[in-house]
């Protein structure tokens, strides 16, 4: 007769007992070992007769036993039904191995009768992870400490994900001020309006890499000339993970190139200067000869006095511009600053330009409902900028053409746009139009006349006021727009930045976050501020830390895989020595803040955390 199949429970028992890759043991409710499989012998070394009847703490290190971790692990499994842990365990021969452990409570009805414990030797995996982590950390530290290059990572949409020391030096932002924001924050408004950031991402995505040079904007809104390389980053499946962006500040190199270019054009300028000075002298000489010959002809005298007056005004303007360029180059250009309304600057510029505008029957059109903001600057010099821009627009526009001035206020920066409907600017000249001695051409003639220093002077004066000026044009025949950006003020600035928060006292701080980079970076910032910091990458590790470390303040991420922040808070509140610890929730969602207060957190902080606010909260808590 065929043999009867063994009972199902016997098959399962044989399977468990013969597993060699997992140590599977049963414990009674007090933690005493009641069963031991072949995996326990293979991994840990004990024969069943040597370990059954012993307390499970025999498998732990002396440090863990002294911290009563074996009992606490069973308590956590009792409360939650299940507990996962990683840590060092001890073999029969005294050697250590890194174990991944799962403890599950066993119940009969409502009563816990014991525990099932599964142990896996993950020493090799742990060492590989640690080796990889150390390699990544070394690379991260290398990138982080590079000061001459801004090296950042962007996500697939262009939002900043990492920020190194070079980026902080070049762009001026702290990491917590820029991470999460779109990288278009580094581009001038004109580039954003033209869709340049999105266009660069598309090129990098399709071609793998794009490199270009251009103006970029620092945190303080000043401009710098940058060389930028944007590289698409793919994973092993060729899925786009983001972009690596490397930026180098080449402002000094561009300045030297501009100087060299200016020197090369000096001979041309001297020839133009002689021509431009002779231009007004010729009609003045002719007018004076006529006046000498017909001094009694009143109508003739009035006409030629007018010629002399206009040409002298033109000559004076040329000489003044030349002197100003020399003063700026020598560092002797003095600004007499005051808080002035921008409407006064515009009015003064229009008034100074009126004679030429009237001569060509051109009119200035002011936009409706324009904001009136204040700037801290030199009214005479800013009016000079407006005058030069209006005269430039007049020169390149036909008779009877309108010139439009619009004013905008965006945050702390004001914008004044001067737009004409003239001959426009070729694309290859847009980046050079403000260079010294550069002149645009008008159809039918080599240049439009002048010395080619008016726009350069405008840029220098505006930059001395902490602003910028850029030109834009759709091309030849499409008109031009010049945009001046100036810092708006409510009062005279002191020129001193607000001091960083000084904590004054050192605190013991626990940071708990499963995101290792977030936890490490926040911990480092707190250590640099003079605090004693312990970092845990999960709830279980946090409970191990507080066995020997009593923090004054704890910051806990709400969303963690092994134990969420609320569960960890409840566990920490059971420790008597943590009675005075202030515990704060860290959350990326503002809607979690009400829940955080309701469950007993002392306060909450929204990610990304403002480090100055965080340091202030540590010493002078305002939440609650």
């Amino acid at each position: 007769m065929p043999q009867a199949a063994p009972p199902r429970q016997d098959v399962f028992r044989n399977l468990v007992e013969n597993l060699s890759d997992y140590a599977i043991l049963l414990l009674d409710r007090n933690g005493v070992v009641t069963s031991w499989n072949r995996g326990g012998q293979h991994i840990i070394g004990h024969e069943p007769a040597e370990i059954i009847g012993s307390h499970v703490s025999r498998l732990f290190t002396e440090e863990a036993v002294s911290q009563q971790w074996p009992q606490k692990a069973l308590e956590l499994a009792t409360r939650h039904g299940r507990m996962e842990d990683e840590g060092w365990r001890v073999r029969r021969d005294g050697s250590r191995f890194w174990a991944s452990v799962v403890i599950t409570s066993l119940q009969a009805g409502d009563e816990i009768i014991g525990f099932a414990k599964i142990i896996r030797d993950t020493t090799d995996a742990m060492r590989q992870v640690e080796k990889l982590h150390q390699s990544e950390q070394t690379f991260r530290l290398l990138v982080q400490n590079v000061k001459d290059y801004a090296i950042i990572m962007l996500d697939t949409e262009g939002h900043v994900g990492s920020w190194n020391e070079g980026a902080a030096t070049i762009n001026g932002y702290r990491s917590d001020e820029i991470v999460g924001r779109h990288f278009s924050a580094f581009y001038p408004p004109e580039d954003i309006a033209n869709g340049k950031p999105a266009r660069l991402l598309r090129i990098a995505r399709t071609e793998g890499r794009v490199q270009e040079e251009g103006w970029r904007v620092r945190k303080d809104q000043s401009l710098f000339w940058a060389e930028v390389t944007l590289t698409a980053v793919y994973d092993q499946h060729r899925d786009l993970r983001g972009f690596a962006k490397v930026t180098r500040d080449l402002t000094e190199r561009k300045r030297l190139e501009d100087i060299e270019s200016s020197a090369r054009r000096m001979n041309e300028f001297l020839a133009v200067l002689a021509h431009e000075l002779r231009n007004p002298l010729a009609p003045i000489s002719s007018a004076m000869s006529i006046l000498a010959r017909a001094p009694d002809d009143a109508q003739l005298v009035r006409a030629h006095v007018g010629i002399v007056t206009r040409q002298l005004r033109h000559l004076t303007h040329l000489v003044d511009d030349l002197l100003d360029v020399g003063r700026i180059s020598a560092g002797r250009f003095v600004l007499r600053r005051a808080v002035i309304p921008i409407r006064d600057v515009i009015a003064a510029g229009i008034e100074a330009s009126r004679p030429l505008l009237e001569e060509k029957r051109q009119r200035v059109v002011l936009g409706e409902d324009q904001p009136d903001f204040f700037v801290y600057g030199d009214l005479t010099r800013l009016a000079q900028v407006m005058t030069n821009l209006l005269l430039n627009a007049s020169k390149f526009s036909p008779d009877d053409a309108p010139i439009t001035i619009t004013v905008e206020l965006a945050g702390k920066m004001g914008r004044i746009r001067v737009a004409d409907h003239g001959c426009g600017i070729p694309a290859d000249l847009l980046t050079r139009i403000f260079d010294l001695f550069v002149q645009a051409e008008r159809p039918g003639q080599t240049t439009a006349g002048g010395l080619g220093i008016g726009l350069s002077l405008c840029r220098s004066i505006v930059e001395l006021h902490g602003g910028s000026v850029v030109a834009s044009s759709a091309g030849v025949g499409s008109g031009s727009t010049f945009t001046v950006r100036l810092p708006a003020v409510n009062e005279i600035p002191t020129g001193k930045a607000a001091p960083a928060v000084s904590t004054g006292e050192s605190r013991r701080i626990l940071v708990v976050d499963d995101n290792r980079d977030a936890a490490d970076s926040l911990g480092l910032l707190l250590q640099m501020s003079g605090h004693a910091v312990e970092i845990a990458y999960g709830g279980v590790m946090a409970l191990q830390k507080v066995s020997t470390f009593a923090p004054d303040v704890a910051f806990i991420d709400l969303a963690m895989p092994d134990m969420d922040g609320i569960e960890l808070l409840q566990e920490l509140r059971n420790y008597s020595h943590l009675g005075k610890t202030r515990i704060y929730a860290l959350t990326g969602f503002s809607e979690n803040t009400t829940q955080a207060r309701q469950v007993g957190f002392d306060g909450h902080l929204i990610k990304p955390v403002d480090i100055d606010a965080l340091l202030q909260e540590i010493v002078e808590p305002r939440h609650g």
Side-chain angles (χ1 to χ4, degrees):
M1 293 181 63
Q3 276 189 320
R8 183 175 299 176
Q9 59 267 31
D10 291 340
V11 173
F12 180 74
R13 184 181 298 110
N14 288 334
L15 175 65
V16 169
E17 288 179 350
N18 288 290
L19 277 175
S20 60
D21 294 332
Y22 293 83
I24 302 175
L25 52 150
L26 296 177
L27 312 176
D28 67 16
R29 60 187 300 169
N30 296 316
V32 175
V33 178
T34 61
S35 75
W36 190 257
N37 77 332
R38 183 174 297 176
Q41 297 174 246
H42 174 71
I43 294 172
I44 304 175
H46 293 288
E47 297 291 333
E50 296 176 315
I51 194 67
I52 292 176
S54 300
H55 194 271
V56 71
S57 59
R58 187 173 173 184
L59 308 179
F60 286 76
T61 64
E62 292 182 3
E63 297 90 340
V65 172
S66 67
Q67 296 171 7
Q68 299 184 331
W69 185 243
Q71 294 90 329
K72 291 175 183 176
L74 296 180
E75 290 173 7
L76 289 170
T78 300
R79 291 179 193 169
H80 302 286
R82 187 174 184 273
M83 185 269 188
E84 295 185 17
D85 185 22
E86 283 189 341
W88 293 109
R89 297 296 186 269
V90 181
R91 293 190 176 93
R92 179 175 182 270
D93 61 6
S95 62
R96 295 186 176 196
F97 68 101
W98 188 262
S100 175
V101 180
V102 178
I103 303 175
T104 305
S105 62
L106 304 176
Q107 292 182 289
D110 294 334
E111 181 183 0
I112 293 179
I113 60 174
F115 303 90
K117 185 169 185 176
I118 301 174
I119 303 173
R120 186 160 58 100
D121 183 354
T122 57
T123 306
D124 291 341
M126 185 274 292
R127 286 174 177 161
Q128 288 297 325
V129 169
E130 184 65 24
K131 185 177 179 180
L132 178 61
H133 180 67
Q134 288 176 354
S135 175
E136 291 175 345
Q137 190 174 41
T138 299
F139 179 74
R140 189 180 298 114
L141 287 173
L142 175 64
V143 170
Q144 181 64 32
N145 289 296
V146 171
K147 297 181 180 179
D148 295 331
Y149 292 82
I151 304 174
I152 65 176
M153 286 297 299
L154 309 177
D155 67 13
T156 55
E157 302 300 319
H159 297 94
V160 178
S162 68
W163 194 250
N164 78 327
E165 188 170 342
T169 301
I170 293 172
N171 295 87
Y173 293 94
R174 299 193 311 268
S175 176
D176 62 296
E177 294 175 320
I178 197 64
V179 170
R181 290 178 59 184
H182 198 268
F183 84 116
S184 58
F186 310 135
Y187 288 78
E190 294 71 25
D191 285 347
I192 296 174
N194 293 331
K196 185 174 185 177
R199 186 165 62 251
L200 291 174
L201 289 182
R202 284 197 303 272
I203 296 172
R205 188 182 293 113
T206 56
E207 299 184 9
R209 180 175 180 271
V210 61
Q211 186 172 14
E212 58 114 22
E213 291 187 14
W215 291 110
R216 296 295 184 270
V217 182
R218 293 189 175 93
K219 177 188 173 184
D220 63 6
Q221 300 302 302
S222 63
L223 295 176
F224 68 100
W225 188 261
E227 177 190 68
V228 180
T229 302
L230 194 62
T231 305
V233 178
Y234 296 91
D235 61 17
Q236 64 271 28
H237 305 296
R238 294 299 297 170
D239 292 329
L240 182 68
R241 300 302 300 273
F243 301 89
K245 185 172 182 287
V246 180
T247 303
R248 187 158 58 118
D249 184 353
L250 296 182
T251 307
E252 183 63 19
R253 191 200 73 180
K254 182 169 177 58
R255 187 184 71 83
L256 293 174
E257 289 176 351
D258 290 345
I259 291 173
E260 292 174 0
S261 179
S262 297
R264 287 194 302 270
R265 293 196 298 269
M266 182 57 70
N267 288 336
E268 298 174 19
F269 165 71
L270 292 175
V272 171
L273 175 60
H275 178 266
E276 288 298 315
L277 291 176
R278 285 195 181 99
N279 274 344
L281 290 176
I284 289 174
S285 178
S286 297
M288 294 304 294
S289 296
I290 292 171
L291 290 174
R293 286 172 171 78
D296 299 326
D297 188 332
Q299 184 176 356
L300 199 62
V301 168
R302 282 195 301 272
H304 286 83
V305 166
I307 291 174
V308 171
T309 301
R310 286 194 298 274
Q311 296 304 320
L312 283 174
R313 186 186 298 119
H314 177 59
L315 187 58
T316 301
H317 183 72
L318 289 176
V319 173
D320 285 344
D321 279 358
L322 281 170
L323 291 173
D324 285 339
V325 169
R327 292 186 188 104
I328 290 173
S329 300
R332 298 197 304 270
F333 196 81
V334 178
L335 296 178
R336 293 173 176 83
R337 294 177 180 266
V339 175
I340 51 176
I342 200 63
R343 65 170 180 268
D344 289 358
V345 173
I346 294 171
I350 293 174
E351 183 60 30
S353 309
R354 192 177 304 279
L356 181 59
L357 295 172
E358 291 178 347
E359 183 180 331
K360 297 185 68 174
R361 300 181 303 281
Q362 295 165 333
R363 67 189 187 279
V364 176
V365 180
L366 296 175
E368 298 180 356
D369 301 324
Q370 300 192 121
D372 184 27
F373 59 90
F374 292 83
V375 295
Y376 182 56
D378 187 320
L379 175 58
T380 301
R381 294 308 185 180
L382 291 176
Q384 185 179 357
V385 170
M386 290 302 304
T387 302
N388 277 345
L389 292 180
L390 288 169
L391 293 179
N392 185 77
S394 173
K395 181 192 304 183
F396 289 95
S397 298
D399 293 357
D400 301 306
I403 299 170
T404 304
I405 298 178
T406 57
V407 178
E408 298 174 356
L409 183 61
K412 296 182 179 180
M413 296 298 291
R415 298 192 186 102
I416 307 98
R417 289 188 172 92
V418 178
D420 63 60
H421 300 279
C423 63
I425 304 173
D428 62 341
L429 196 59
L430 278 174
T431 58
R432 300 188 294 112
I433 196 68
F434 293 98
D435 292 349
L436 200 59
F437 314 137
V438 170
Q439 301 181 73
E441 296 183 0
R442 286 195 299 192
Q445 64 184 81
T446 304
T447 68
L451 299 177
I453 62 177
L455 292 179
S456 178
L457 188 59
C458 285
R459 180 176 65 181
S460 297
I461 293 174
V462 170
E463 290 180 352
L464 287 171
H465 283 82
S468 63
V469 57
V470 294
S472 58
S473 175
V476 176
S478 301
S480 308
T481 299
F482 287 81
T483 303
V484 176
R485 303 170 73 240
L486 291 168
V489 297
N490 294 320
E491 58 184 14
I492 297 177
T494 62
K496 295 180 180 178
V501 173
S502 176
T503 61
E505 298 181 48
S506 176
R507 296 284 192 268
R508 296 186 304 277
I509 300 174
L510 175 67
V511 176
V512 187
D513 197 327
D514 63 302
N515 185 320
R516 288 175 175 260
D517 290 339
D520 291 344
S521 59
L522 179 57
L524 179 59
L525 280 169
L526 292 170
Q527 287 174 343
M528 293 170 66
S529 300
H531 299 290
V533 181
E534 287 286 341
I535 297 173
Y537 302 121
V540 171
M541 183 181 291
L543 293 174
Q544 292 175 319
K545 293 284 186 182
V546 299
S547 297
T548 56
F549 180 76
D552 300 307
V553 183
F555 297 102
I556 298 175
D557 183 40
L558 287 183
M560 295 184 293
D562 64 340
M563 182 185 300
D564 68 37
I566 295 175
E567 289 179 323
L568 178 57
L569 171 71
Q570 293 168 347
E571 290 294 336
L572 293 175
R573 293 302 189 199
N574 292 324
Y575 288 73
S576 59
H577 69 289
L578 303 181
K580 295 184 179 180
T581 301
R582 286 184 281 125
I583 304 178
Y584 294 82
L586 291 177
T587 173
F589 304 95
S590 58
E591 55 265 33
N592 287 345
T593 58
T594 301
Q595 179 190 17
R597 288 177 176 278
Q598 290 174 346
V599 299
F601 283 99
D602 294 298
H604 68 275
L605 293 163
I606 305 297
K607 295 180 179 179
V609 176
D610 182 330
I611 188 61
D612 287 337
L614 180 77
L615 294 174
Q616 187 67 49
E617 184 70 28
I618 290 170
V619 178
E620 298 177 8
R622 290 187 293 272
H623 288 77

